[in-house]
Amino acid sequence: MALSIFQFLLFSISNFFLASSFQDLLLLSVNAQSHNLTQPSVTPINFDLYHSSGNLMEEIRALVHRHPDKLTMETIKAGNKGYGAEVSVVTYCKEKKDNDERSKLRILLSFGQHGRELITTELALRILSILSEEKFLPSMDQASLNSALDKLVIKVVPMENLNGRKVVEAGDLCERRNGRGVDLNRNWSVDWGKKEKDYDPYEENPGIAPFSEPESQIMRKLAISFEPNLWVNVHSGMEALFMPYDHKNTTPDGLPLQRMKSLLEEVKHLHCQERCMIGSGGGSVGYFAHGTATDFMYDIVGVPMAFTFEIYGDGTASSRDCFKMFNPTDLATYNRVLSDWSATFFTIFKLVPQKLGDSNASILKPDKLVSIDEYLDGYLMERRNRYGKKLEVLELGMQEIRTYFRLFLLSSVLLLFMFCSRISKSKCRPIVSAIPL
């Protein structure tokens, strides 16, 4: 009897703990499910709306092939320390003459500098489709548009950061840097490497030196050789029309400010209404950005109109949900963004000749001189653009050319010093009679 009572008590205690454990597990399960329901989901790339990087570039190549009278395309490659990159450049110019680029206003547009901003590359494709007249802007008179385009040469970089874009397509939807982990919009030389209090070393890695990255080197060469009158760096994350500067809370003075502000205010009135902020990047965003492309274009290259446009942003998205934060996720918004901003750019194409006046307007004389390295890089790039030759030998010998040039300068200075020294000594030497006394 005693054994039976003991067995009964043991059985009862076991059931109590099992029941308690089951209830705890059930409660944990319910809590986990409710926790997951409250956590923001991560929106994947919608490839029904968006092109993959490969498909987008293939579609652009096909577009260029169908319209050789208007469009040409080249792919520029560079690399260092085991890392390589390529940047494709599409040029719109109706008259294909060697000196035609210098007689027209020159516009340089860059898209996809940050890998996660897919909508910007879609806008590049839309603009090229309109330039080729495969698509049209319903609200714009085609005849007047064609008249404006006759005065322009437009270079479009559809996807500056191809390697970073591939990282995003592989699943890292928040990646903005290039394939080596460097933020290309912090890798330029104006105020490079400075770190603010809110500096994020992961996102804003400026690289080991200015222009350490092949993508930045290619864009620098392109800008110096092309000498654009208008530069626009296209991003997403908000809606804004920014002018220099990004690294400080000031704007340029005098006529340059008047020109840029007048253009942006007219664009905002026509297309952006109250959605877009206008001002300097550093004064409007709430943080300073150092080593940006737009500040370099204005300060060093001397582009009279240099802008950064932000074309879309979802402020309600979680910081983890990067695709939704930087890109439209539904068809209606996707189409609206592309329609509105393509119309914006073609309005700019019509306004730029008016704002700059003479079609032969030269770029501003920058306060800072372009270095011999930058000049040589730009010179060789210009030769390749103009004649279509692949100057691998000159590209590979770039460092040797720089070295020989510096040695030549150094030897010239030394020879001049020796010559002056000899003359000085000869003047001080006493005159001695040749006849012995």
Side-chain angles (χ1 to χ4, degrees):
M1 178 65 68
L3 185 60
S4 298
I5 293 173
F6 176 76
Q7 289 175 339
F8 174 76
L9 289 173
L10 184 63
F11 177 76
S12 300
I13 293 170
S14 299
N15 284 343
F16 173 77
F17 281 110
L18 285 173
S20 299
S21 300
F22 177 75
Q23 289 175 354
D24 290 341
L25 290 173
L26 183 61
L27 184 60
L28 286 172
S29 176
V30 171
N31 288 339
Q33 290 178 5
S34 63
H35 179 71
N36 288 335
L37 289 174
T38 60
Q39 289 297 306
S41 60
V42 175
T43 307
I45 299 174
N46 183 354
F47 284 109
D48 291 332
L49 283 181
Y50 291 86
H51 295 79
S52 68
S53 55
N55 288 341
L56 186 132
M57 296 311 302
E58 185 57 40
E59 190 162 333
I60 290 175
R61 278 189 285 271
L63 184 70
V64 172
H65 181 73
R66 292 194 297 270
H67 301 279
D69 57 323
K70 300 182 183 74
L71 301 175
T72 57
M73 181 176 180
E74 63 174 332
T75 299
I76 307 163
K77 298 182 179 181
N80 58 49
K81 298 182 179 180
Y83 175 76
E86 62 180 50
V87 174
S88 294
V89 184
V90 181
T91 302
Y92 170 86
C93 184
K94 287 186 178 179
E95 299 294 333
K96 303 288 195 311
K97 295 178 182 178
D98 286 348
N99 61 350
D100 197 56
E101 286 189 5
R102 316 316 298 178
S103 65
K104 297 184 176 185
L105 283 173
R106 299 171 298 281
I107 295 175
L108 179 57
L109 311 176
S110 177
F111 303 81
Q113 190 181 48
H114 290 150
R116 64 194 180 190
E117 299 166 12
L118 280 70
I119 188 62
T120 67
T121 61
E122 300 291 327
L123 179 58
L125 175 59
R126 178 67 62 90
I127 289 172
L128 290 171
S129 298
I130 296 170
L131 286 171
S132 68
E133 299 186 36
E134 288 195 5
K135 291 184 183 295
F136 297 91
L137 292 167
S139 60
M140 193 166 291
D141 178 60
Q142 192 64 37
S144 64
L145 178 59
N146 287 337
S147 176
L149 292 175
D150 287 341
K151 304 172 185 177
L152 305 177
V153 177
I154 304 170
K155 286 189 183 290
V156 177
V157 178
M159 194 178 300
E160 181 181 329
N161 184 8
L162 177 61
N163 292 341
R165 171 65 172 267
K166 289 179 178 178
V167 173
V168 173
E169 292 173 347
D172 191 350
L173 301 179
C174 289
E175 183 60 82
R176 62 186 258 150
R177 305 169 303 169
N178 73 348
R180 190 154 57 183
V182 174
D183 184 345
L184 296 179
N185 207 29
R186 302 292 184 272
N187 192 232
W188 298 69
S189 61
V190 174
D191 217 40
W192 175 86
K194 187 174 180 180
K195 299 174 177 60
E196 295 293 328
K197 292 180 180 179
D198 60 352
Y199 170 75
D200 184 340
Y202 179 83
E203 284 212 337
E204 297 184 77
N205 175 17
I208 60 173
F211 302 109
S212 62
E213 303 312 295
E215 297 93 340
S216 303
Q217 294 167 11
I218 291 169
M219 293 301 298
R220 178 187 62 175
K221 294 176 185 180
L222 179 60
I224 291 171
S225 64
F226 185 49
E227 293 184 341
N229 302 101
L230 170 72
W231 153 265
V232 185
N233 194 10
V234 185
H235 288 268
S236 62
M238 63 177 70
E239 287 188 279
L241 306 166
F242 292 139
M243 66 182 83
Y245 289 97
D246 296 325
H247 69 279
K248 54 187 177 180
N249 187 13
T250 60
T251 54
D253 298 322
L255 181 60
L257 173 61
Q258 295 172 20
R259 284 174 170 171
M260 288 189 284
K261 190 173 181 181
S262 173
L263 177 69
L264 295 184
E265 286 178 344
E266 193 161 349
V267 166
K268 179 178 179 180
H269 172 71
L270 291 172
H271 298 286
C272 221
Q273 290 78 43
E274 299 305 317
R275 298 194 312 271
C276 298
M277 66 175 72
I278 289 180
S280 69
S284 303
V285 178
Y287 62 87
F288 294 151
H290 305 274
T292 67
T294 295
D295 283 359
F296 180 88
M297 293 295 176
Y298 185 79
D299 256 7
I300 306 301
V301 181
V303 181
M305 287 188 169
F307 302 121
T308 300
F309 287 178
E310 298 272 354
I311 65 171
Y312 175 81
D314 185 347
T316 67
S318 160
S319 60
R320 294 175 59 251
D321 197 359
C322 290
F323 181 75
K324 185 180 180 184
M325 180 182 293
F326 293 96
N327 307 281
T329 56
D330 63 275
L331 179 61
T333 308
Y334 173 90
N335 285 332
R336 177 188 63 77
V337 170
L338 294 186
S339 296
D340 288 353
W341 282 95
S342 57
T344 298
F345 272 94
F346 281 89
T347 294
I348 290 171
F349 297 159
K350 293 178 70 173
L351 290 177
V352 164
Q354 302 172 20
K355 300 298 181 183
L356 288 178
D358 184 7
S359 63
N360 291 311
S362 61
I363 63 176
L364 294 173
K365 295 299 181 183
D367 295 332
K368 302 175 185 178
L369 295 177
V370 175
S371 71
I372 185 62
D373 291 358
E374 291 168 347
Y375 178 79
L376 288 174
D377 284 351
Y379 179 84
L380 293 180
M381 182 62 68
E382 184 176 11
R383 302 285 78 73
R384 177 159 56 184
N385 283 344
R386 182 167 294 177
Y387 301 113
K389 296 178 180 178
K390 294 184 178 179
L391 303 178
E392 286 89 351
V393 174
L394 288 177
E395 285 291 335
L396 291 173
M398 183 75 71
Q399 190 61 46
E400 284 75 12
I401 292 173
R402 297 188 189 112
T403 302
Y404 294 145
F405 184 83
R406 292 181 180 120
L407 287 174
F408 170 75
L409 289 178
L410 179 61
S411 61
S412 299
V413 171
L414 288 173
L415 286 172
L416 182 62
F417 176 78
M418 292 171 63
F419 178 73
C420 293
S421 178
R422 180 177 287 272
I423 291 176
S424 177
K425 288 180 180 179
S426 64
K427 286 183 178 180
C428 297
R429 186 178 299 164
I431 300 174
V432 180
S433 172
I435 301 173
L437 299 176

